Amino acid sequence: MPIRILPDNVVSAIAAGEVIERPESVVKELVENSIDASARRILISIEGGGRKLIEVTDNGMGIPIDEVPLAVERYATSKLETEQDLFHIDTLGFRGEALTSIGAVSRMELITRSEGEELGTRLAVAGGQISAPQPIGAPPGTRVVVRELFFNLPARLKFLKSEATERHRIQALIARYAIAYPHISFRLMQEGREGFYSTGSGDRREVLAACYGLETAKSLIHLPEMEETAIRVSGFISPPSVHRGTRREITFFVQGRWIQDPSLAAAVIQAYHGLLMVGRYPLAVILLQTPPDFIDVNVHPTKAEIRFKDPSLVFRTVQRAVRGVLLGQAPAAQFHFESSWRPANLPPSSAIDPGWAMAEAMQPDLPPVRAQSSLPQANMPLLRAVGQVGAAYLVAEGPDGLYLIDQHAAHERVLFERMMSDFVNGKLESQQLLGPQTVELTHREAEMIEGNLTLIRSLGFEVEPFGKNVFRLRGVPAVLSKIDPEQSLRVLVEDIGEDEAPLASEFEARIIARVCKRAAVKSGQVLSSEEQRKLIRDLEACTSPRSCPHGRPTMIHLSVDALERQFGRRG
Ligand code: ADP
Ligand code: MG
């Protein structure tokens, strides 16, 4: 084919594709426009996961009548004038592309009334065709209605994820904006149901409760505003006891703009060094304010990535702020097996039984060392219970030395194997509650329960939907009968959405592992000699006794040989 200039409609489809990738992108652009227009209330309605309808209504400053046709032109913006302005951007938008792009790939309707004007204006764009603006009665503010997204791009439609995935993403997006803008009230309606609401009271912790649930929000540690360098850091971080299976809950805002930056997430994770288990991540909301010329936002059409002038300064500032607060609030309680056990003129660590490597497995950031790696595979030797230390570990003697057993991890393993086999045989027992109990969850948690009702019931939960995000509980799995029924249901929704579609069988195992974690004896619980012996017997009967369902070791081993070396009886 000869070289030629692309026709306008192809150019605009290509350009639109960069900005509008999926329903979530439409919502993002429209909400950003509302925020830029100083709205105090933003209502977002979604149908069909955003494919059928996305409607964003705000009470912001609106667009003056004579500027309405310009608003839907490409590269038309009220937020930027000169090239220099690009380095002092204080609005979320500035590229003047969003409305054009949305209009190019949907049937869009814009109704807006500027503050000082009597009448509003209505303008429609369908697949890039702009209609003539008409006067219309409207409240002050702006409403954009987007129907049939990608109706003219069937190929793009095919790449969209499920409606449920889009709904989750949109919900997460609105939650993020609500956190960044606590003074704005956000209401998200998904398929006619309220999916998110923030009051706009300005209280950020209140917004966090709407996002993460009351209990988690209460536990979050406030990061007081710190200004050591030119960068101001504030926000909320989780205490070491609250963690997640992914780093996705580490959120950053720079000048009120949500950004994705893996290296900043690493700064937060490093700050938790020694405080979290391998594979667990904190939850954090970090707000940064930098001098305007410290960042370059103009890196990517979706504006989700930015460049810092001095990335390592930002990294250090974030890490120091988080670490400082953590150490002040949560002194690291760790066992240092090596230093407390090893005598002063110690042999080099290579001379120590590899079983001691297990102690290090408890320290995060090192690759997880499985018990199997230093102990023979398969079952464990028969052990004689000797006693308990620190109300957390059982001491036992085996044919080849000393074993320390983590009572919580061991019990988790025992319960897990039992529950899995009962589950497979359809024999999981349920314990009736004295009276039915209602439990209120967040919208997201409720969706998760509703989507897995059959599985959840087969685990022994007698649960039924009971109004919006509310469930009625009549029975719980027998192993959970000792904990509060509401808590037992919450066990299921902890850390949900860690991955979008785990294999069905893994999903069951994961949920059962969670239940067992809650049901297992805690460390700190004193066990009678009878209980200690029983736990050791039960563990011996397990198929994989050496690790807990989450992969942590249940036991560490010190061989007679290593003992002799440690006491200097052997070279
Ligand atoms: P940008 O936000 O990058 O300027 P957009 O295409 O998103 O580009 O919007 C174009 C212009 O339309 C904006 O600069 C603004 O002046 C106006 N506009 C868009 N949405 C709104 C709104 N909700 N309220 C007021 N003005 C708006
Ligand atoms: Mg915009």
Side-chain angles (χ1 to χ4, degrees), residues 231 233 252 261-271 288 294 308 310-322:
I231 304 154
V233 185
F252 293 95
D261 188 327
S263 106
L264 278 187
V268 173
I269 294 168
Q270 273 191 21
L288 297 171
F294 196 83
F308 292 104
D310 184 351
S312 68
L313 175 66
V314 189
F315 185 97
R316 284 196 310 274
T317 310
V318 167
Q319 193 193 30
R320 205 176 302 142
V322 174

Short mmCIF file of all heavy atoms in Angstrom, two decimals, residues 231 233 252 261-271 288 294 308 310-322:
data_model
loop_
_atom_site.label_atom_id
_atom_site.label_comp_id
_atom_site.label_asym_id
_atom_site.label_seq_id
_atom_site.Cartn_x
_atom_site.Cartn_y
_atom_site.Cartn_z
N ILE A 231 9.00 17.61 49.81
CA ILE A 231 7.85 16.74 49.59
C ILE A 231 7.09 16.57 50.89
O ILE A 231 7.66 16.24 51.92
CB ILE A 231 8.34 15.36 49.12
CG1 ILE A 231 9.19 15.55 47.87
CG2 ILE A 231 7.18 14.43 48.85
CD1 ILE A 231 10.18 14.45 47.68
N VAL A 233 4.41 14.44 52.97
CA VAL A 233 3.81 13.11 52.99
C VAL A 233 2.76 13.07 54.08
O VAL A 233 2.99 13.56 55.18
CB VAL A 233 4.88 12.04 53.36
CG1 VAL A 233 4.29 10.65 53.26
CG2 VAL A 233 6.09 12.17 52.48
N PHE A 252 -1.20 5.57 46.03
CA PHE A 252 -0.52 6.87 46.11
C PHE A 252 -1.29 7.95 45.38
O PHE A 252 -1.84 7.70 44.30
CB PHE A 252 0.86 6.79 45.43
CG PHE A 252 1.80 5.91 46.18
CD1 PHE A 252 1.96 4.59 45.83
CD2 PHE A 252 2.51 6.42 47.26
CE1 PHE A 252 2.81 3.77 46.53
CE2 PHE A 252 3.36 5.61 47.97
CZ PHE A 252 3.51 4.28 47.61
N ASP A 261 2.93 3.56 40.84
CA ASP A 261 4.38 3.66 40.82
C ASP A 261 4.97 2.50 41.64
O ASP A 261 5.04 2.57 42.86
CB ASP A 261 4.80 5.01 41.41
CG ASP A 261 6.29 5.26 41.24
OD1 ASP A 261 7.07 4.28 41.29
OD2 ASP A 261 6.68 6.43 41.07
N PRO A 262 5.37 1.44 40.95
CA PRO A 262 5.87 0.25 41.66
C PRO A 262 7.05 0.57 42.58
O PRO A 262 7.19 -0.04 43.63
CB PRO A 262 6.33 -0.68 40.53
CG PRO A 262 5.65 -0.19 39.30
CD PRO A 262 5.40 1.27 39.49
N SER A 263 7.86 1.56 42.21
CA SER A 263 9.02 1.79 43.06
C SER A 263 8.60 2.47 44.37
O SER A 263 9.17 2.19 45.43
CB SER A 263 10.08 2.60 42.30
OG SER A 263 10.11 3.92 42.76
N LEU A 264 7.57 3.30 44.33
CA LEU A 264 7.07 3.88 45.58
C LEU A 264 6.41 2.81 46.45
O LEU A 264 6.54 2.82 47.67
CB LEU A 264 6.08 5.00 45.30
CG LEU A 264 6.68 6.36 44.97
CD1 LEU A 264 5.60 7.41 44.90
CD2 LEU A 264 7.72 6.75 46.02
N ALA A 265 5.70 1.88 45.80
CA ALA A 265 5.10 0.79 46.57
C ALA A 265 6.20 0.01 47.27
O ALA A 265 6.07 -0.37 48.44
CB ALA A 265 4.28 -0.12 45.65
N ALA A 266 7.32 -0.17 46.57
CA ALA A 266 8.44 -0.88 47.18
C ALA A 266 8.98 -0.13 48.39
O ALA A 266 9.40 -0.73 49.38
CB ALA A 266 9.54 -1.10 46.15
N ALA A 267 8.94 1.19 48.33
CA ALA A 267 9.40 1.99 49.48
C ALA A 267 8.55 1.70 50.71
O ALA A 267 9.06 1.56 51.83
CB ALA A 267 9.35 3.48 49.14
N VAL A 268 7.25 1.58 50.50
CA VAL A 268 6.36 1.29 51.63
C VAL A 268 6.61 -0.13 52.14
O VAL A 268 6.74 -0.37 53.34
CB VAL A 268 4.88 1.45 51.21
CG1 VAL A 268 3.95 0.99 52.32
CG2 VAL A 268 4.60 2.90 50.84
N ILE A 269 6.73 -1.07 51.20
CA ILE A 269 6.94 -2.46 51.60
C ILE A 269 8.24 -2.60 52.39
O ILE A 269 8.29 -3.26 53.42
CB ILE A 269 6.94 -3.39 50.37
CG1 ILE A 269 5.53 -3.39 49.75
CG2 ILE A 269 7.35 -4.81 50.73
CD1 ILE A 269 5.45 -4.02 48.39
N GLN A 270 9.27 -1.91 51.93
CA GLN A 270 10.55 -1.96 52.65
C GLN A 270 10.42 -1.41 54.06
O GLN A 270 11.09 -1.85 54.97
CB GLN A 270 11.61 -1.15 51.90
CG GLN A 270 12.30 -1.98 50.86
CD GLN A 270 13.52 -1.26 50.31
OE1 GLN A 270 14.05 -0.35 50.95
NE2 GLN A 270 13.94 -1.67 49.13
N ALA A 271 9.56 -0.41 54.20
CA ALA A 271 9.40 0.18 55.53
C ALA A 271 8.81 -0.83 56.52
O ALA A 271 8.98 -0.70 57.72
CB ALA A 271 8.51 1.42 55.45
N LEU A 288 0.94 12.61 48.61
CA LEU A 288 2.16 13.40 48.46
C LEU A 288 1.82 14.76 47.87
O LEU A 288 0.96 14.86 47.00
CB LEU A 288 3.13 12.69 47.51
CG LEU A 288 3.64 11.32 47.96
CD1 LEU A 288 4.42 10.65 46.84
CD2 LEU A 288 4.53 11.48 49.17
N PHE A 294 8.14 19.80 40.32
CA PHE A 294 8.88 18.61 40.73
C PHE A 294 8.43 17.36 39.98
O PHE A 294 9.07 16.34 39.98
CB PHE A 294 8.68 18.41 42.23
CG PHE A 294 9.66 17.47 42.86
CD1 PHE A 294 10.91 17.90 43.26
CD2 PHE A 294 9.34 16.13 43.05
CE1 PHE A 294 11.82 17.03 43.83
CE2 PHE A 294 10.25 15.25 43.62
CZ PHE A 294 11.49 15.70 44.01
N PHE A 308 9.04 11.87 38.47
CA PHE A 308 9.53 12.79 39.50
C PHE A 308 10.89 13.32 39.07
O PHE A 308 11.68 12.59 38.49
CB PHE A 308 9.69 12.07 40.84
CG PHE A 308 8.40 11.65 41.46
CD1 PHE A 308 8.00 10.32 41.44
CD2 PHE A 308 7.58 12.58 42.08
CE1 PHE A 308 6.81 9.93 42.02
CE2 PHE A 308 6.39 12.19 42.67
CZ PHE A 308 6.01 10.86 42.64
N ASP A 310 13.26 14.02 41.16
CA ASP A 310 14.25 13.30 41.94
C ASP A 310 13.58 12.08 42.57
O ASP A 310 13.18 12.10 43.73
CB ASP A 310 14.81 14.24 43.03
CG ASP A 310 15.92 13.59 43.83
OD1 ASP A 310 16.15 12.37 43.68
OD2 ASP A 310 16.54 14.30 44.64
N PRO A 311 13.47 10.99 41.80
CA PRO A 311 12.71 9.83 42.28
C PRO A 311 13.27 9.28 43.59
O PRO A 311 12.52 8.85 44.46
CB PRO A 311 12.86 8.79 41.18
CG PRO A 311 13.39 9.50 39.99
CD PRO A 311 14.03 10.76 40.47
N SER A 312 14.60 9.30 43.76
CA SER A 312 15.13 8.65 44.96
C SER A 312 14.83 9.49 46.20
O SER A 312 14.67 8.94 47.29
CB SER A 312 16.62 8.36 44.81
OG SER A 312 17.33 9.57 44.80
N LEU A 313 14.70 10.78 46.03
CA LEU A 313 14.31 11.61 47.18
C LEU A 313 12.87 11.25 47.61
O LEU A 313 12.59 11.12 48.80
CB LEU A 313 14.39 13.10 46.81
CG LEU A 313 13.89 14.05 47.89
CD1 LEU A 313 14.78 13.99 49.12
CD2 LEU A 313 13.80 15.48 47.37
N VAL A 314 11.99 11.06 46.64
CA VAL A 314 10.62 10.69 46.97
C VAL A 314 10.61 9.34 47.66
O VAL A 314 9.94 9.14 48.67
CB VAL A 314 9.74 10.63 45.70
CG1 VAL A 314 8.29 10.46 46.07
CG2 VAL A 314 9.94 11.87 44.86
N PHE A 315 11.37 8.42 47.11
CA PHE A 315 11.45 7.07 47.68
C PHE A 315 11.87 7.15 49.15
O PHE A 315 11.22 6.61 50.05
CB PHE A 315 12.47 6.26 46.87
CG PHE A 315 12.57 4.81 47.29
CD1 PHE A 315 11.87 3.84 46.61
CD2 PHE A 315 13.37 4.44 48.36
CE1 PHE A 315 11.97 2.50 46.98
CE2 PHE A 315 13.47 3.12 48.74
CZ PHE A 315 12.77 2.14 48.05
N ARG A 316 12.96 7.86 49.41
CA ARG A 316 13.48 7.93 50.78
C ARG A 316 12.49 8.61 51.70
O ARG A 316 12.30 8.20 52.84
CB ARG A 316 14.81 8.72 50.80
CG ARG A 316 15.99 7.93 50.28
CD ARG A 316 17.29 8.61 50.68
NE ARG A 316 17.35 10.03 50.38
CZ ARG A 316 17.74 10.54 49.21
NH1 ARG A 316 18.10 9.72 48.22
NH2 ARG A 316 17.77 11.83 49.01
N THR A 317 11.87 9.67 51.21
CA THR A 317 10.96 10.42 52.06
C THR A 317 9.77 9.53 52.48
O THR A 317 9.39 9.51 53.64
CB THR A 317 10.45 11.68 51.33
OG1 THR A 317 11.58 12.36 50.81
CG2 THR A 317 9.67 12.58 52.24
N VAL A 318 9.23 8.81 51.50
CA VAL A 318 8.08 7.94 51.81
C VAL A 318 8.50 6.85 52.78
O VAL A 318 7.85 6.60 53.80
CB VAL A 318 7.52 7.31 50.51
CG1 VAL A 318 6.55 6.19 50.82
CG2 VAL A 318 6.86 8.39 49.66
N GLN A 319 9.63 6.21 52.48
CA GLN A 319 10.06 5.11 53.31
C GLN A 319 10.32 5.56 54.75
O GLN A 319 9.90 4.91 55.70
CB GLN A 319 11.31 4.47 52.73
CG GLN A 319 11.60 3.14 53.36
CD GLN A 319 12.97 2.66 53.01
OE1 GLN A 319 13.87 3.46 52.81
NE2 GLN A 319 13.15 1.38 52.93
N ARG A 320 10.97 6.70 54.88
CA ARG A 320 11.31 7.19 56.22
C ARG A 320 10.04 7.54 57.00
O ARG A 320 9.91 7.22 58.17
CB ARG A 320 12.23 8.40 56.11
CG ARG A 320 13.06 8.57 57.35
CD ARG A 320 14.05 9.70 57.21
NE ARG A 320 14.96 9.56 56.09
CZ ARG A 320 15.38 10.58 55.33
NH1 ARG A 320 14.93 11.80 55.55
NH2 ARG A 320 16.23 10.37 54.36
N ALA A 321 9.09 8.17 56.31
CA ALA A 321 7.86 8.57 56.99
C ALA A 321 7.11 7.33 57.49
O ALA A 321 6.67 7.29 58.65
CB ALA A 321 6.98 9.37 56.03
N VAL A 322 7.00 6.33 56.64
CA VAL A 322 6.24 5.13 57.02
C VAL A 322 6.97 4.37 58.13
O VAL A 322 6.38 3.99 59.13
CB VAL A 322 6.01 4.21 55.80
CG1 VAL A 322 5.36 2.91 56.21
CG2 VAL A 322 5.16 4.93 54.75
#
